[in-house]
Amino acid sequence: MLLILGGILAFLNPLATGFAAGVIFGAILLAYGVIAIVAGLSAFSTRSKVLELLLGVVAVLAGLFVLFDPFQGAASLAWAIGLWLFVSGFSQLFYGLKGTHDKGWRLLLGVVDIGLGTYLVISGPLTGLAFVAAIIGFSFLFRCVFLISLAFGLRRLKSA
């Protein structure tokens, strides 16, 4: 039910959704950066220290950049979400073809994710920002229907 509510809210207020996505993305980068710096300081090998410290500093700087301008961060996030949806779509297709349960839903989810991901990757960042909220909302709603269907299917298996 929370996915349905989140999906509807994303559709109703796309600017707030883009802003929230940018803030969350920035916070994750900042947290990762701090953790990577701590890991680099405690690493045993010199090569691990340098790499972790470098990645940590880059992530902290990127996180601060995104937090100071969440809309720009959300625009670049659109491209990253597109890549994730594209890869996720192919994995759903793979598991839909190999699995025995929920083949139709997984195949449909894979096709939808590949289509949305492709659109985000080939569109410009400003165009992608305009659709981040719609894609998040649509994905939440579609995944909710998939999870409800999966739950009913598992319930039938348990009682059989």
Side-chain angles (χ1 to χ4, degrees), residues 24-157:
I24 290 169
F25 183 49
I28 289 170
L29 281 171
L30 190 60
Y32 166 75
V34 170
I35 291 169
I37 290 170
V38 170
L41 293 174
S42 64
F44 291 117
S45 72
T46 305
R47 187 168 47 174
S48 295
K49 282 185 182 206
V50 172
L51 182 61
E52 287 298 329
L53 288 172
L54 181 62
L55 288 174
V57 168
V58 169
V60 165
L61 291 174
L64 290 173
F65 169 76
V66 172
L67 287 173
F68 283 117
D69 190 359
F71 288 111
Q72 185 66 23
S76 63
L77 182 61
W79 193 73
I81 290 172
L83 284 175
W84 177 80
L85 285 169
F86 191 76
V87 171
S88 172
F90 276 105
S91 71
Q92 290 295 339
L93 284 177
F94 175 77
Y95 289 116
L97 292 171
K98 296 290 255 178
T100 57
H101 299 291
D102 302 310
K103 286 177 95 83
W105 279 109
R106 289 196 182 275
L107 293 172
L108 183 59
L109 181 60
V111 169
V112 168
D113 280 356
I114 289 170
L116 293 173
T118 301
Y119 178 76
L120 277 178
V121 168
I122 64 173
S123 69
L126 296 177
T127 303
L129 175 61
F131 288 95
V132 166
I135 288 172
I136 289 172
F138 182 73
S139 182
F140 281 6
L141 292 173
F142 192 78
R143 286 175 196 284
C144 184
V145 170
F146 167 72
L147 291 173
I148 289 171
S149 171
L150 179 63
F152 281 121
L154 290 173
R155 179 184 262 178
R156 279 186 296 237
L157 283 175

